Amino acid sequence: MNLDASVHEHFMRQALEQARCAAACGEVPVGAVVVKDGQVIGRGHNSPLSAQDPTAHAEVLALREAARTLGNYRLEGCTLYVTLEPCTMCSGAMLHARVDAVVYGAAEPRTGAAGSVLDVFSYPAINHQTRVLRGVLAAQCSALMAEFFQLRRQEKKAQQPHPLRDWALRNADEAFADLPAWPWQPQWRSDLPALQGLRLAVVDEGPEDAVLTWLCLHGSPGWGYGFRHLLPDLLAAGHRVVVPDLPGFGRSDQPKKDKQHSASWHLQIIAELIEALNLRRLVLVGQGDGGRLGLAAAQALPERFAGAWLIDTWPLNTQPQQRQQWFEQAARKPGWDVAGAMAGLQGLHTAVDAQGPEEARAWNAPFAQPGHRAALKAWPRLQTELAVPPAELLQQWAQAGRLWLQAPSTDHSLSAAQWQAAWLQAVPQLAAQAGVWRQTRPGAPVPAARQGGGAAAVEYFAP
């Protein structure tokens, strides 16, 4: 093998042409040529898929054609050029054919048998020695492979109804399987412009023409599971119930960077969802900051809303110290136990019942994997961006008997009196509306379904 580099590159380019033929057929782009006395006597490109033949590698096909050309399976005096380091099968075939030399382009670190994983040609006990030249036009050969697999990944993603964005993460559906009191499967949405292709989980149950539609919006760090005890009562009344998981929470996709989260972005998603589903006669059921986001949507789309039930929704952008510390812990601690924290501070987030291990799994599931906590990190900042409650709209609902304001369920960190005082500071008009203050038994779960909260809400908000 005393040829200069330009000759090797000349024949490797012919092997690359064969590799491009393989790619055009949907095969992994590997091409090979067999050369004797300066002439190509055999060509081949990867064809195991089209031929349904596991041996139809480029090298084997080139060897077969060369043998037919010479009328002899012995290919002494021949050199085989191949764009990718040959596997064990092809290396063995070259040895059996008595090929003088093999010249390859790109190394194959997973299955290469010419030096990367094995070196079949280096065993002195084998009765024929085939010389090896490595790395001829390696960059071009590697680029062809990389381009092929990148295109195949893109095509695979395009075939999925909701492909995962490069800048987001997704929890496995299995992490949310068989949760207690949660039989509802989401309808996946990625068509809202504000989502930018993210997959949004939306439970949408009940008739589209129902007399009332309940829009249940969770706060951080909860998700739609917190409304599980409400849904049976609301659906039993013949109403429609829509429960989205905000991006970053529950079963929805999660942006990798906390800067993606803002109050205006979440509000835009909620408003677009309302428009896309054509939701009307809405009663907002807002838990925590989900209530503030829902109020902003109602202010933007007042004709679609009939009232609101706001549970543990703090009306001011400045949080009480202990609440603020709680959210800051969630933001700062990468191993923060969501379920344990929610159960331990029911006065802040009482969506957790007296937990069993499966309920604890439900609350931890969205944040179980590293890197899935961008929303928690962003939330203290997002709370400062929330719009002030729409006083005029709230007053209208209160006067019509369509507003409930429900305090935290315990006095552990914030008394009902402190909470009510904050609301009167934000919306002084509510001072004359004694009927809006919804009482919660100490330690009771929110949304207080076990107190008959769902049935009572149906009666209170009924047209």
Side-chain angles (χ1 to χ4, degrees):
M1 190 166 55
N2 296 320
L3 302 176
D4 60 34
S6 63
V7 174
H8 291 312
E9 291 177 359
H10 168 75
F11 290 118
M12 187 60 74
R13 289 191 181 92
Q14 296 195 42
L16 278 165
E17 286 301 316
Q18 292 296 312
R20 294 186 184 98
C21 290
C25 298
E27 304 276 0
V28 175
V30 181
V33 296
V34 177
V35 176
K36 183 176 176 65
D37 299 330
Q39 299 295 318
V40 174
I41 61 170
R43 297 173 176 82
H45 60 74
N46 253 13
S47 303
L49 294 176
S50 57
Q52 296 185 350
D53 180 359
T55 71
H57 287 197
E59 301 95 308
V60 171
L61 298 181
L63 291 171
R64 289 173 180 170
E65 184 174 291
R68 289 193 296 269
T69 300
L70 296 180
N72 191 342
Y73 77 95
R74 300 290 196 192
L75 301 181
E76 295 172 346
C78 294
T79 298
L80 186 144
Y81 292 83
V82 60
T83 58
L84 185 69
E85 180 181 358
C87 67
T88 305
M89 176 185 72
C90 295
S91 299
M94 293 177 210
L95 289 170
H96 283 297
R98 304 293 197 270
V99 169
D100 276 8
V102 56
V103 180
Y104 72 79
E108 171 48 274
R110 293 173 299 177
T111 60
S116 290
V117 178
L118 301 173
D119 192 352
V120 174
F121 301 104
S122 68
Y123 287 94
I126 297 176
N127 62 355
H128 174 78
Q129 299 300 307
T130 294
R131 294 166 291 170
V132 178
L133 179 62
R134 303 172 174 87
V136 175
L137 298 185
Q140 292 92 321
C141 296
S142 296
L144 182 60
M145 293 286 289
E147 180 182 354
F148 172 82
F149 283 108
Q150 181 181 15
L151 180 60
R152 194 156 78 172
R153 285 191 295 270
Q154 291 173 349
E155 291 173 345
K156 184 176 180 180
K157 288 176 68 175
Q159 292 170 0
Q160 298 174 351
H162 306 280
L164 179 63
R165 309 296 288 179
D166 293 338
W167 47 275
L169 301 171
R170 178 175 295 170
N171 283 303
D173 293 340
E174 293 76 15
F176 300 89
D178 302 321
L179 296 178
W182 189 248
W184 299 283
Q185 295 302 312
Q187 298 180 17
W188 301 109
R189 303 296 298 251
S190 58
D191 56 336
L192 307 180
L195 288 172
Q196 304 173 54
L198 293 181
R199 188 179 75 163
L200 187 76
V202 183
V203 171
D204 185 357
E205 299 287 337
E208 293 184 6
D209 60 349
V211 295
L212 284 181
T213 295
W214 301 79
L215 176 62
C216 301
L217 297 179
H218 65 82
S220 176
W223 59 285
Y225 184 72
F227 301 101
R228 64 197 179 282
H229 296 308
L230 271 184
L231 267 66
D233 285 341
L234 303 180
L235 293 172
H239 296 175
R240 185 180 183 183
V241 184
V242 176
V243 189
D245 294 339
L246 297 176
F249 299 93
R251 293 175 288 185
S252 293
D253 286 351
Q254 301 175 318
K256 295 178 182 179
K257 302 295 184 181
D258 61 281
K259 65 182 180 181
Q260 176 66 41
H261 293 275
S262 67
S264 60
W265 181 56
H266 284 279
L267 169 60
Q268 186 179 359
I269 291 168
I270 294 167
E272 289 178 0
L273 180 66
I274 292 170
E275 296 278 10
L277 295 177
N278 194 26
L279 302 181
R280 296 185 179 276
R281 300 179 293 277
L282 280 168
V283 175
L284 166 66
V285 185
Q287 187 273 323
D289 294 317
R292 293 283 299 278
L293 289 167
L295 286 177
Q299 188 172 22
L301 302 166
E303 71 284 357
R304 293 184 177 270
F305 282 80
W309 177 11
L310 305 177
I311 304 160
D312 189 19
T313 296
W314 182 254
L316 306 175
N317 284 41
T318 302
Q319 298 280 333
Q321 182 178 5
Q322 190 161 348
R323 287 175 68 101
Q324 182 65 27
Q325 290 175 346
W326 194 84
F327 284 106
E328 291 290 350
Q329 287 186 65
R332 293 194 309 266
K333 296 182 178 180
W336 191 66
D337 179 9
V338 174
M342 291 174 72
L345 293 176
Q346 285 191 352
L348 293 177
H349 285 271
T350 52
V352 178
D353 301 340
Q355 290 181 23
E358 287 302 295
E359 287 180 323
R361 176 172 70 90
W363 297 112
N364 283 325
F367 314 108
Q369 300 299 319
H372 286 241
R373 297 185 172 224
L376 301 184
K377 186 176 180 181
W379 217 253
R381 169 181 52 79
L382 185 144
Q383 288 170 329
T384 68
E385 302 168 355
L386 293 167
V388 297
E392 184 177 347
L393 187 60
L394 287 165
Q395 184 181 20
Q396 291 175 6
W397 290 344
Q399 290 173 344
R402 296 291 182 85
L403 178 64
W404 265 355
L405 301 177
Q406 184 165 339
S409 64
T410 76
D411 290 342
H412 177 70
S413 62
L414 182 70
S415 69
Q418 290 174 301
W419 176 84
Q420 184 172 338
W423 268 102
L424 293 176
Q425 179 183 340
V427 188
Q429 297 93 324
L430 295 178
Q433 305 295 334
V436 304
W437 309 106
R438 171 73 173 165
Q439 297 300 312
T440 308
R441 292 180 184 176
V446 170
R450 294 175 190 173
Q451 302 176 57
V458 169
E459 181 179 354
Y460 181 82
F461 287 94

